[in-house]
Amino acid sequence: MVLTIETLFNDANVISAIIRRVTQTRKDAIYWMQYLDFRRTTTRVFKDYIGSVTGVMAGSINSRYGEKPIRERRNIGSGYGEIAYLGDRYQISIDRLSDLQDLIDKYNVAKPANQSSALNEIINFIYDDFRQVMLAAHKRMDLVVGSLLMTGKAVVKNKDKRDDASAPDLLEIELPFKFITPTAEVKTKFITYLQEQVNSLKADYGTFSKMVMTRGTFIKNIVGSSEFGDHYKQVLGSNQMYLSTGLLNSALASEVFTGIGLPAIEIKEDYVKDQTGKNQAVYADGRITLLPQDKIGYMRFHTPYEATDPVPGRTYTQADGNMLISQVRDNNGRYLEYTAEWIPQISNPTEIVNFDLSAINAIQEG
C-alpha cells in the first residue's frame, strides 16, 4: 500500500496506535485526576446530589414492644449539573507537513522488512501534534478543578474575550464549601488557630485526610507564622536546611503537623500554559482547603453527538472520557481537532472546609 498524508490521517489503526503511544508515554501530569475519576452520564443535564449522605445517624433504642419511629433518608441538598463542551482545532504548519511527507516517501520506498521501522518514525514525528490535542481538554479541567478546590468557584469566559469583565461566562460553578475567614488577630498564633478549628470541626465533619495549599501559602502563613519557632523546627532536625531554602516538601511538612493533630500537608506548585502562552497557577494562593479524602468526585463525561452522527469524510478516534479526535483538510491547510463533553462533579462539597486567608494577608502586606 502506498501511504499518503491523507491515507495516514484517515487510517484508524495508525491513529489508534499514535493515541496509545501518547497515553502510555504521557509525560505531562494531569492534575485533576488526583481528585476525580471519569464517570459517564447519559444526559447532558443530570441530577447532582450535593453531599447526599455525610454519615449514618445512630439508630433509636426502643422498648421491647414499642413502635419503631419512621426515619427518612437524610439528603443535604440537590442540584443539577450540566456538561461543558470542550474543543479546539490545531493547524499543522506547512513546514511540519513537508517534513512528514519526507518520512512518508521514505516509508513508501522502504523494503517490506524496513517498513515497520519507517512507520515508527512517522508515529514518533506526529506524536507531539496528537499530544497537544489530547492534553488540551485535560489542562482546561486542571484549571477548573484547581480553582474549585481552592476557592469553591470556577469561571471560564469566552476565549476571545477572557479579559472583558462584561463578557458572558461559558462556564460558572459555585460550590457550598464551609468557608472560614480568620481575622487578623489570629495571625501571630495561626498554627494554634488551625489546631483549634480542626478539633472543633470534627464533631460535624469528621477527620480530614489532608490540607492542600500552595508553596507560597505554606511559606508565608505557616512557616512565616511567628509561633513557628524552635518548637516546630526541632521536629525537622537536620531537614531545617530544606526549610531555610524553601525546598521543604509535603512529606517533611507533614512530619511537623500530623504530630500536633493537624491533617497532612500537601504543597501544590503546578502551572498550566494558557492559549496566550502565559503560565497560570492551577491552585490559588492565600487559601487552605481541608479534604476528607483524596478522591472527592468525578469527571462526568457525555458521548459527543458527532460520535453517533459523524461528519461525512472524517475519521474519528476515541480517547479517554469519550473524547473524539479527528482531522480535517480545507483550503487553508490541515487541522487536528478534538471534541469532548466533560464537567467536574464534587460529590460532597459540604464536607470540604476552606480557609480564606485574605484578611490575615492584607495585614501582613500592609
Side-chain angles (χ1 to χ4, degrees), residues 144-208:
V144 170
V145 173
S147 180
L148 287 175
L149 191 69
M150 301 310 292
T151 68
K153 297 180 182 179
V155 176
V156 177
K157 291 188 179 291
N158 186 305
K159 62 183 179 182
D160 299 320
K161 299 181 178 180
R162 64 171 63 87
D163 296 325
D164 183 357
S166 64
D169 298 329
L170 298 182
L171 179 145
E172 184 175 11
I173 305 173
E174 187 168 348
L175 298 174
F177 288 179
K178 165 76 171 175
F179 292 101
I180 299 174
T181 304
T183 58
E185 289 76 18
V186 306
K187 71 174 184 177
T188 57
K189 297 288 184 181
F190 184 64
I191 297 174
T192 300
Y193 172 80
L194 271 181
Q195 284 181 278
E196 293 170 349
Q197 289 295 314
V198 168
N199 287 332
S200 65
L201 290 166
K202 283 182 180 178
D204 295 320
Y205 293 86
T207 58
F208 297 99

Short mmCIF file of all heavy atoms in Angstrom, two decimals, residues 144-208:
data_model
loop_
_atom_site.label_atom_id
_atom_site.label_comp_id
_atom_site.label_asym_id
_atom_site.label_seq_id
_atom_site.Cartn_x
_atom_site.Cartn_y
_atom_site.Cartn_z
N VAL A 144 -9.90 24.38 35.97
CA VAL A 144 -11.25 24.44 36.55
C VAL A 144 -11.27 23.73 37.91
O VAL A 144 -11.76 24.28 38.90
CB VAL A 144 -12.28 23.82 35.59
CG1 VAL A 144 -13.63 23.66 36.28
CG2 VAL A 144 -12.43 24.68 34.34
N VAL A 145 -10.75 22.52 37.97
CA VAL A 145 -10.78 21.75 39.22
C VAL A 145 -9.89 22.40 40.27
O VAL A 145 -10.25 22.47 41.45
CB VAL A 145 -10.35 20.29 38.97
CG1 VAL A 145 -10.21 19.53 40.29
CG2 VAL A 145 -11.38 19.58 38.07
N GLY A 146 -8.73 22.93 39.86
CA GLY A 146 -7.86 23.62 40.81
C GLY A 146 -8.54 24.83 41.42
O GLY A 146 -8.44 25.08 42.63
N SER A 147 -9.26 25.59 40.59
CA SER A 147 -9.99 26.76 41.09
C SER A 147 -11.11 26.33 42.04
O SER A 147 -11.32 26.94 43.09
CB SER A 147 -10.56 27.55 39.92
OG SER A 147 -11.27 28.68 40.37
N LEU A 148 -11.85 25.28 41.68
CA LEU A 148 -12.91 24.77 42.56
C LEU A 148 -12.34 24.31 43.89
O LEU A 148 -12.90 24.60 44.96
CB LEU A 148 -13.65 23.61 41.88
CG LEU A 148 -14.58 23.94 40.73
CD1 LEU A 148 -15.11 22.66 40.10
CD2 LEU A 148 -15.75 24.82 41.19
N LEU A 149 -11.23 23.61 43.83
CA LEU A 149 -10.64 23.04 45.05
C LEU A 149 -10.21 24.11 46.03
O LEU A 149 -10.38 23.97 47.24
CB LEU A 149 -9.45 22.16 44.66
CG LEU A 149 -8.85 21.27 45.75
CD1 LEU A 149 -9.82 20.17 46.12
CD2 LEU A 149 -7.54 20.68 45.26
N MET A 150 -9.66 25.22 45.52
CA MET A 150 -9.08 26.22 46.40
C MET A 150 -10.01 27.39 46.71
O MET A 150 -9.81 28.09 47.70
CB MET A 150 -7.79 26.78 45.79
CG MET A 150 -6.72 25.72 45.55
SD MET A 150 -6.37 24.65 46.96
CE MET A 150 -5.61 25.82 48.09
N THR A 151 -11.01 27.62 45.87
CA THR A 151 -11.90 28.78 46.10
C THR A 151 -13.38 28.41 46.12
O THR A 151 -14.20 29.25 46.48
CB THR A 151 -11.68 29.86 45.02
OG1 THR A 151 -12.15 29.36 43.76
CG2 THR A 151 -10.22 30.23 44.90
N GLY A 152 -13.72 27.18 45.73
CA GLY A 152 -15.13 26.79 45.65
C GLY A 152 -15.83 27.37 44.44
O GLY A 152 -17.04 27.19 44.29
N LYS A 153 -15.10 28.05 43.56
CA LYS A 153 -15.70 28.67 42.37
C LYS A 153 -14.81 28.42 41.16
O LYS A 153 -13.60 28.24 41.29
CB LYS A 153 -15.85 30.19 42.56
CG LYS A 153 -16.77 30.60 43.68
CD LYS A 153 -16.83 32.13 43.77
CE LYS A 153 -17.71 32.59 44.93
NZ LYS A 153 -17.75 34.06 45.04
N ALA A 154 -15.44 28.42 40.00
CA ALA A 154 -14.70 28.34 38.73
C ALA A 154 -15.50 29.06 37.67
O ALA A 154 -16.71 28.84 37.54
CB ALA A 154 -14.46 26.89 38.33
N VAL A 155 -14.84 29.95 36.94
CA VAL A 155 -15.48 30.70 35.87
C VAL A 155 -14.60 30.62 34.63
O VAL A 155 -13.39 30.81 34.72
CB VAL A 155 -15.71 32.18 36.25
CG1 VAL A 155 -16.28 32.97 35.08
CG2 VAL A 155 -16.63 32.29 37.46
N VAL A 156 -15.20 30.33 33.50
CA VAL A 156 -14.49 30.34 32.21
C VAL A 156 -15.25 31.24 31.27
O VAL A 156 -16.45 31.04 31.03
CB VAL A 156 -14.37 28.92 31.61
CG1 VAL A 156 -13.68 28.99 30.24
CG2 VAL A 156 -13.61 28.00 32.54
N LYS A 157 -14.57 32.25 30.74
CA LYS A 157 -15.19 33.17 29.80
C LYS A 157 -14.83 32.78 28.36
O LYS A 157 -13.96 31.95 28.12
CB LYS A 157 -14.74 34.61 30.07
CG LYS A 157 -15.28 35.17 31.38
CD LYS A 157 -14.97 36.65 31.51
CE LYS A 157 -15.55 37.20 32.81
NZ LYS A 157 -17.03 37.23 32.79
N ASN A 158 -15.52 33.40 27.41
CA ASN A 158 -15.22 33.20 26.00
C ASN A 158 -13.73 33.46 25.78
O ASN A 158 -13.19 34.47 26.22
CB ASN A 158 -16.07 34.16 25.15
CG ASN A 158 -15.90 33.91 23.67
OD1 ASN A 158 -14.79 33.91 23.15
ND2 ASN A 158 -17.00 33.69 22.99
N LYS A 159 -13.06 32.52 25.09
CA LYS A 159 -11.61 32.63 24.94
C LYS A 159 -11.19 33.89 24.19
O LYS A 159 -10.06 34.35 24.32
CB LYS A 159 -11.06 31.40 24.22
CG LYS A 159 -11.58 31.21 22.80
CD LYS A 159 -11.05 29.93 22.20
CE LYS A 159 -11.59 29.72 20.80
NZ LYS A 159 -11.11 28.45 20.22
N ASP A 160 -12.09 34.45 23.37
CA ASP A 160 -11.77 35.66 22.63
C ASP A 160 -11.98 36.92 23.45
O ASP A 160 -11.56 38.00 23.06
CB ASP A 160 -12.60 35.74 21.35
CG ASP A 160 -12.32 34.57 20.42
OD1 ASP A 160 -11.14 34.18 20.32
OD2 ASP A 160 -13.27 34.03 19.83
N LYS A 161 -12.67 36.80 24.61
CA LYS A 161 -12.97 37.98 25.43
C LYS A 161 -12.69 37.70 26.90
O LYS A 161 -13.39 38.17 27.78
CB LYS A 161 -14.44 38.38 25.25
CG LYS A 161 -14.80 38.76 23.82
CD LYS A 161 -16.27 39.18 23.72
CE LYS A 161 -16.64 39.60 22.31
NZ LYS A 161 -18.05 40.00 22.19
N ARG A 162 -11.64 36.91 27.16
CA ARG A 162 -11.38 36.48 28.54
C ARG A 162 -11.03 37.62 29.48
O ARG A 162 -11.21 37.53 30.68
CB ARG A 162 -10.28 35.42 28.56
CG ARG A 162 -8.93 35.92 28.10
CD ARG A 162 -7.87 34.87 28.37
NE ARG A 162 -8.13 33.67 27.61
CZ ARG A 162 -7.70 33.47 26.36
NH1 ARG A 162 -7.05 34.44 25.76
NH2 ARG A 162 -7.93 32.36 25.73
N ASP A 163 -10.52 38.73 28.90
CA ASP A 163 -10.13 39.87 29.74
C ASP A 163 -11.25 40.90 29.88
O ASP A 163 -11.07 41.93 30.52
CB ASP A 163 -8.88 40.54 29.17
CG ASP A 163 -7.68 39.61 29.19
OD1 ASP A 163 -7.58 38.83 30.15
OD2 ASP A 163 -6.86 39.65 28.25
N ASP A 164 -12.39 40.65 29.25
CA ASP A 164 -13.52 41.57 29.29
C ASP A 164 -14.46 41.13 30.42
O ASP A 164 -15.09 40.08 30.34
CB ASP A 164 -14.25 41.56 27.94
CG ASP A 164 -15.40 42.56 27.89
OD1 ASP A 164 -15.66 43.21 28.93
OD2 ASP A 164 -16.05 42.68 26.83
N ALA A 165 -14.53 41.94 31.48
CA ALA A 165 -15.35 41.58 32.65
C ALA A 165 -16.83 41.44 32.29
O ALA A 165 -17.58 40.71 32.96
CB ALA A 165 -15.17 42.61 33.75
N SER A 166 -17.28 42.14 31.26
CA SER A 166 -18.69 42.08 30.88
C SER A 166 -19.01 40.93 29.95
O SER A 166 -20.17 40.71 29.61
CB SER A 166 -19.10 43.41 30.21
OG SER A 166 -18.38 43.59 29.00
N ALA A 167 -18.00 40.18 29.53
CA ALA A 167 -18.23 39.06 28.61
C ALA A 167 -19.01 37.97 29.33
O ALA A 167 -18.82 37.73 30.53
CB ALA A 167 -16.91 38.52 28.11
N PRO A 168 -19.90 37.28 28.63
CA PRO A 168 -20.69 36.22 29.26
C PRO A 168 -19.81 35.04 29.67
O PRO A 168 -18.78 34.77 29.04
CB PRO A 168 -21.68 35.80 28.16
CG PRO A 168 -21.02 36.20 26.88
CD PRO A 168 -20.23 37.43 27.19
N ASP A 169 -20.21 34.38 30.74
CA ASP A 169 -19.48 33.21 31.22
C ASP A 169 -19.92 31.98 30.45
O ASP A 169 -21.12 31.69 30.36
CB ASP A 169 -19.72 33.00 32.71
CG ASP A 169 -19.24 34.17 33.55
OD1 ASP A 169 -18.27 34.82 33.12
OD2 ASP A 169 -19.85 34.44 34.59
N LEU A 170 -18.95 31.22 29.91
CA LEU A 170 -19.28 29.96 29.25
C LEU A 170 -19.45 28.85 30.28
O LEU A 170 -20.13 27.87 30.02
CB LEU A 170 -18.17 29.60 28.26
CG LEU A 170 -17.95 30.57 27.10
CD1 LEU A 170 -16.87 30.05 26.18
CD2 LEU A 170 -19.24 30.78 26.32
N LEU A 171 -18.80 29.00 31.42
CA LEU A 171 -18.93 28.01 32.48
C LEU A 171 -18.83 28.74 33.81
O LEU A 171 -17.95 29.58 33.99
CB LEU A 171 -17.83 26.95 32.36
CG LEU A 171 -17.78 25.84 33.41
CD1 LEU A 171 -17.30 24.54 32.77
CD2 LEU A 171 -16.86 26.21 34.56
N GLU A 172 -19.72 28.44 34.72
CA GLU A 172 -19.70 29.05 36.05
C GLU A 172 -20.19 28.04 37.06
O GLU A 172 -21.30 27.53 36.96
CB GLU A 172 -20.56 30.31 36.08
CG GLU A 172 -20.49 31.05 37.41
CD GLU A 172 -21.27 32.35 37.41
OE1 GLU A 172 -22.03 32.59 36.44
OE2 GLU A 172 -21.13 33.13 38.35
N ILE A 173 -19.34 27.71 38.01
CA ILE A 173 -19.68 26.74 39.05
C ILE A 173 -19.37 27.37 40.40
O ILE A 173 -18.33 28.01 40.58
CB ILE A 173 -18.86 25.44 38.90
CG1 ILE A 173 -19.02 24.84 37.50
CG2 ILE A 173 -19.27 24.41 39.95
CD1 ILE A 173 -18.09 23.66 37.24
N GLU A 174 -20.26 27.17 41.34
CA GLU A 174 -20.03 27.62 42.72
C GLU A 174 -20.48 26.52 43.66
O GLU A 174 -21.60 26.03 43.55
CB GLU A 174 -20.78 28.93 43.00
CG GLU A 174 -20.44 29.53 44.34
CD GLU A 174 -20.95 30.95 44.50
OE1 GLU A 174 -21.37 31.55 43.48
OE2 GLU A 174 -20.93 31.46 45.63
N LEU A 175 -19.60 26.14 44.57
CA LEU A 175 -19.87 25.00 45.46
C LEU A 175 -20.07 25.46 46.90
O LEU A 175 -19.45 26.43 47.35
CB LEU A 175 -18.70 24.01 45.41
CG LEU A 175 -18.42 23.38 44.04
CD1 LEU A 175 -17.15 22.55 44.10
CD2 LEU A 175 -19.59 22.53 43.59
N PRO A 176 -20.93 24.76 47.64
CA PRO A 176 -21.22 25.14 49.04
C PRO A 176 -20.21 24.59 50.03
O PRO A 176 -20.55 23.80 50.92
CB PRO A 176 -22.62 24.55 49.25
CG PRO A 176 -22.63 23.32 48.41
CD PRO A 176 -21.81 23.65 47.18
N PHE A 177 -18.95 24.98 49.89
CA PHE A 177 -17.95 24.60 50.89
C PHE A 177 -18.27 25.28 52.22
O PHE A 177 -19.03 26.24 52.29
CB PHE A 177 -16.54 25.06 50.47
CG PHE A 177 -15.93 24.29 49.33
CD1 PHE A 177 -14.67 24.63 48.86
CD2 PHE A 177 -16.58 23.22 48.73
CE1 PHE A 177 -14.08 23.94 47.81
CE2 PHE A 177 -16.00 22.52 47.68
CZ PHE A 177 -14.75 22.89 47.22
N LYS A 178 -17.67 24.80 53.27
CA LYS A 178 -17.65 25.51 54.55
C LYS A 178 -16.48 26.49 54.50
O LYS A 178 -15.31 26.09 54.48
CB LYS A 178 -17.46 24.51 55.70
CG LYS A 178 -17.07 25.13 57.04
CD LYS A 178 -18.22 25.78 57.73
CE LYS A 178 -17.83 26.20 59.15
NZ LYS A 178 -18.88 26.96 59.81
N PHE A 179 -16.77 27.78 54.41
CA PHE A 179 -15.73 28.80 54.29
C PHE A 179 -15.47 29.45 55.65
O PHE A 179 -16.41 29.82 56.35
CB PHE A 179 -16.13 29.87 53.28
CG PHE A 179 -16.17 29.37 51.85
CD1 PHE A 179 -17.38 29.06 51.25
CD2 PHE A 179 -15.00 29.20 51.14
CE1 PHE A 179 -17.43 28.58 49.95
CE2 PHE A 179 -15.03 28.73 49.83
CZ PHE A 179 -16.25 28.42 49.24
N ILE A 180 -14.22 29.56 55.99
CA ILE A 180 -13.80 30.21 57.23
C ILE A 180 -12.80 31.30 56.87
O ILE A 180 -11.83 31.05 56.14
CB ILE A 180 -13.16 29.20 58.21
CG1 ILE A 180 -14.17 28.11 58.58
CG2 ILE A 180 -12.64 29.91 59.46
CD1 ILE A 180 -13.57 26.99 59.42
N THR A 181 -13.02 32.51 57.38
CA THR A 181 -12.10 33.63 57.13
C THR A 181 -11.51 34.07 58.46
O THR A 181 -12.15 34.79 59.23
CB THR A 181 -12.83 34.81 56.46
OG1 THR A 181 -13.45 34.35 55.26
CG2 THR A 181 -11.86 35.93 56.13
N PRO A 182 -10.28 33.61 58.77
CA PRO A 182 -9.65 34.01 60.04
C PRO A 182 -9.44 35.53 60.09
O PRO A 182 -9.12 36.15 59.08
CB PRO A 182 -8.30 33.28 60.02
CG PRO A 182 -8.46 32.21 58.98
CD PRO A 182 -9.43 32.72 57.99
N THR A 183 -9.63 36.09 61.26
CA THR A 183 -9.41 37.53 61.43
C THR A 183 -7.93 37.81 61.66
O THR A 183 -7.14 36.92 61.96
CB THR A 183 -10.23 38.06 62.61
OG1 THR A 183 -9.84 37.35 63.79
CG2 THR A 183 -11.72 37.85 62.37
N ALA A 184 -7.59 39.07 61.52
CA ALA A 184 -6.18 39.47 61.63
C ALA A 184 -5.60 39.14 63.00
O ALA A 184 -4.38 38.96 63.15
CB ALA A 184 -6.06 40.96 61.34
N GLU A 185 -6.46 39.03 64.02
CA GLU A 185 -5.97 38.83 65.39
C GLU A 185 -5.26 37.48 65.56
O GLU A 185 -4.45 37.31 66.49
CB GLU A 185 -7.11 38.94 66.40
CG GLU A 185 -7.64 40.35 66.61
CD GLU A 185 -8.53 40.82 65.46
OE1 GLU A 185 -8.99 39.96 64.69
OE2 GLU A 185 -8.73 42.05 65.34
N VAL A 186 -5.56 36.50 64.72
CA VAL A 186 -5.01 35.16 64.93
C VAL A 186 -3.69 34.95 64.19
O VAL A 186 -3.11 33.87 64.26
CB VAL A 186 -6.01 34.08 64.49
CG1 VAL A 186 -7.34 34.27 65.18
CG2 VAL A 186 -6.19 34.05 62.97
N LYS A 187 -3.21 35.97 63.48
CA LYS A 187 -2.02 35.75 62.64
C LYS A 187 -0.79 35.36 63.45
O LYS A 187 0.07 34.63 62.97
CB LYS A 187 -1.75 36.98 61.78
CG LYS A 187 -1.22 38.18 62.53
CD LYS A 187 -0.83 39.30 61.55
CE LYS A 187 -0.22 40.47 62.30
NZ LYS A 187 0.21 41.52 61.37
N THR A 188 -0.68 35.85 64.69
CA THR A 188 0.50 35.53 65.49
C THR A 188 0.44 34.12 66.07
O THR A 188 1.46 33.57 66.49
CB THR A 188 0.65 36.53 66.64
OG1 THR A 188 -0.54 36.52 67.44
CG2 THR A 188 0.90 37.93 66.11
N LYS A 189 -0.75 33.52 66.09
CA LYS A 189 -0.94 32.15 66.62
C LYS A 189 -1.71 31.33 65.59
O LYS A 189 -2.64 30.59 65.94
CB LYS A 189 -1.71 32.19 67.95
CG LYS A 189 -0.99 32.91 69.08
CD LYS A 189 0.19 32.10 69.59
CE LYS A 189 0.85 32.78 70.77
NZ LYS A 189 2.01 32.01 71.26
N PHE A 190 -1.32 31.44 64.34
CA PHE A 190 -2.11 30.82 63.28
C PHE A 190 -2.11 29.30 63.35
O PHE A 190 -3.13 28.66 63.10
CB PHE A 190 -1.61 31.28 61.90
CG PHE A 190 -2.44 30.75 60.77
CD1 PHE A 190 -3.77 31.12 60.64
CD2 PHE A 190 -1.92 29.86 59.85
CE1 PHE A 190 -4.55 30.63 59.61
CE2 PHE A 190 -2.69 29.36 58.81
CZ PHE A 190 -4.01 29.74 58.69
N ILE A 191 -1.00 28.69 63.72
CA ILE A 191 -0.95 27.23 63.80
C ILE A 191 -1.85 26.73 64.92
O ILE A 191 -2.60 25.76 64.76
CB ILE A 191 0.50 26.75 63.99
CG1 ILE A 191 1.34 27.16 62.77
CG2 ILE A 191 0.55 25.24 64.17
CD1 ILE A 191 2.81 26.87 62.92
N THR A 192 -1.80 27.40 66.06
CA THR A 192 -2.71 27.04 67.16
C THR A 192 -4.16 27.23 66.73
O THR A 192 -5.03 26.41 67.05
CB THR A 192 -2.41 27.91 68.39
OG1 THR A 192 -1.06 27.68 68.80
CG2 THR A 192 -3.35 27.59 69.54
N TYR A 193 -4.43 28.31 66.01
CA TYR A 193 -5.79 28.56 65.49
C TYR A 193 -6.24 27.42 64.59
O TYR A 193 -7.38 26.94 64.70
CB TYR A 193 -5.79 29.88 64.73
CG TYR A 193 -7.07 30.16 63.99
CD1 TYR A 193 -8.20 30.66 64.65
CD2 TYR A 193 -7.17 29.91 62.63
CE1 TYR A 193 -9.38 30.91 63.96
CE2 TYR A 193 -8.35 30.15 61.93
CZ TYR A 193 -9.45 30.66 62.61
OH TYR A 193 -10.62 30.90 61.92
N LEU A 194 -5.36 26.95 63.71
CA LEU A 194 -5.71 25.83 62.84
C LEU A 194 -6.04 24.59 63.66
O LEU A 194 -7.02 23.88 63.37
CB LEU A 194 -4.56 25.53 61.88
CG LEU A 194 -4.52 26.25 60.54
CD1 LEU A 194 -3.30 25.79 59.73
CD2 LEU A 194 -5.79 26.01 59.74
N GLN A 195 -5.22 24.30 64.68
CA GLN A 195 -5.49 23.16 65.55
C GLN A 195 -6.88 23.26 66.17
O GLN A 195 -7.64 22.28 66.18
CB GLN A 195 -4.45 23.09 66.66
CG GLN A 195 -3.09 22.58 66.25
CD GLN A 195 -2.16 22.54 67.45
OE1 GLN A 195 -1.57 23.57 67.82
NE2 GLN A 195 -2.04 21.38 68.06
N GLU A 196 -7.19 24.42 66.71
CA GLU A 196 -8.49 24.60 67.38
C GLU A 196 -9.64 24.43 66.39
O GLU A 196 -10.66 23.81 66.71
CB GLU A 196 -8.54 26.00 68.02
CG GLU A 196 -7.56 26.16 69.17
CD GLU A 196 -7.46 27.61 69.64
OE1 GLU A 196 -7.99 28.50 68.94
OE2 GLU A 196 -6.83 27.86 70.69
N GLN A 197 -9.49 24.98 65.19
CA GLN A 197 -10.55 24.87 64.19
C GLN A 197 -10.76 23.43 63.75
O GLN A 197 -11.90 22.96 63.63
CB GLN A 197 -10.22 25.75 62.98
CG GLN A 197 -10.33 27.24 63.23
CD GLN A 197 -11.75 27.67 63.55
OE1 GLN A 197 -12.69 27.27 62.88
NE2 GLN A 197 -11.90 28.46 64.59
N VAL A 198 -9.67 22.71 63.51
CA VAL A 198 -9.78 21.31 63.08
C VAL A 198 -10.45 20.47 64.16
O VAL A 198 -11.31 19.63 63.88
CB VAL A 198 -8.39 20.74 62.72
CG1 VAL A 198 -8.44 19.22 62.56
CG2 VAL A 198 -7.87 21.38 61.44
N ASN A 199 -10.09 20.71 65.41
CA ASN A 199 -10.71 19.96 66.51
C ASN A 199 -12.19 20.27 66.64
O ASN A 199 -13.00 19.37 66.88
CB ASN A 199 -9.98 20.27 67.82
CG ASN A 199 -8.61 19.63 67.90
OD1 ASN A 199 -8.38 18.57 67.29
ND2 ASN A 199 -7.70 20.24 68.63
N SER A 200 -12.56 21.54 66.49
CA SER A 200 -13.97 21.91 66.63
C SER A 200 -14.80 21.41 65.45
O SER A 200 -16.00 21.17 65.60
CB SER A 200 -14.10 23.43 66.75
OG SER A 200 -13.69 24.08 65.56
N LEU A 201 -14.17 21.25 64.28
CA LEU A 201 -14.89 20.78 63.10
C LEU A 201 -15.14 19.28 63.12
O LEU A 201 -16.01 18.77 62.38
CB LEU A 201 -14.11 21.15 61.82
CG LEU A 201 -14.06 22.63 61.46
CD1 LEU A 201 -12.99 22.87 60.40
CD2 LEU A 201 -15.41 23.11 60.96
N LYS A 202 -14.39 18.54 63.92
CA LYS A 202 -14.50 17.08 63.91
C LYS A 202 -15.90 16.60 64.23
O LYS A 202 -16.36 15.58 63.71
CB LYS A 202 -13.51 16.47 64.91
CG LYS A 202 -12.08 16.46 64.42
CD LYS A 202 -11.15 15.81 65.44
CE LYS A 202 -9.72 15.81 64.93
NZ LYS A 202 -8.79 15.21 65.93
N ALA A 203 -16.60 17.31 65.11
CA ALA A 203 -17.93 16.87 65.51
C ALA A 203 -18.89 16.80 64.33
O ALA A 203 -19.74 15.90 64.26
CB ALA A 203 -18.49 17.82 66.58
N ASP A 204 -18.77 17.74 63.39
CA ASP A 204 -19.69 17.78 62.24
C ASP A 204 -19.08 17.24 60.96
O ASP A 204 -19.80 16.77 60.08
CB ASP A 204 -20.15 19.22 62.00
CG ASP A 204 -20.98 19.76 63.15
OD1 ASP A 204 -21.81 19.00 63.68
OD2 ASP A 204 -20.79 20.94 63.52
N TYR A 205 -17.75 17.31 60.83
CA TYR A 205 -17.12 16.95 59.56
C TYR A 205 -16.23 15.72 59.64
O TYR A 205 -15.74 15.24 58.61
CB TYR A 205 -16.28 18.14 59.05
CG TYR A 205 -17.12 19.33 58.67
CD1 TYR A 205 -17.50 20.28 59.62
CD2 TYR A 205 -17.54 19.52 57.36
CE1 TYR A 205 -18.28 21.36 59.29
CE2 TYR A 205 -18.32 20.62 57.01
CZ TYR A 205 -18.68 21.53 57.98
OH TYR A 205 -19.46 22.62 57.64
N GLY A 206 -16.00 15.20 60.84
CA GLY A 206 -15.11 14.06 60.97
C GLY A 206 -13.66 14.48 60.81
O GLY A 206 -13.31 15.65 60.97
N THR A 207 -12.81 13.52 60.47
CA THR A 207 -11.40 13.81 60.32
C THR A 207 -11.08 14.17 58.87
O THR A 207 -11.77 13.75 57.94
CB THR A 207 -10.54 12.60 60.73
OG1 THR A 207 -10.92 11.47 59.93
CG2 THR A 207 -10.75 12.28 62.20
N PHE A 208 -10.06 14.96 58.70
CA PHE A 208 -9.61 15.34 57.37
C PHE A 208 -8.31 14.61 57.06
O PHE A 208 -7.43 14.50 57.92
CB PHE A 208 -9.38 16.85 57.29
CG PHE A 208 -10.63 17.65 57.53
CD1 PHE A 208 -10.88 18.21 58.78
CD2 PHE A 208 -11.55 17.85 56.53
CE1 PHE A 208 -12.03 18.95 59.02
CE2 PHE A 208 -12.70 18.59 56.75
CZ PHE A 208 -12.95 19.14 57.99
#
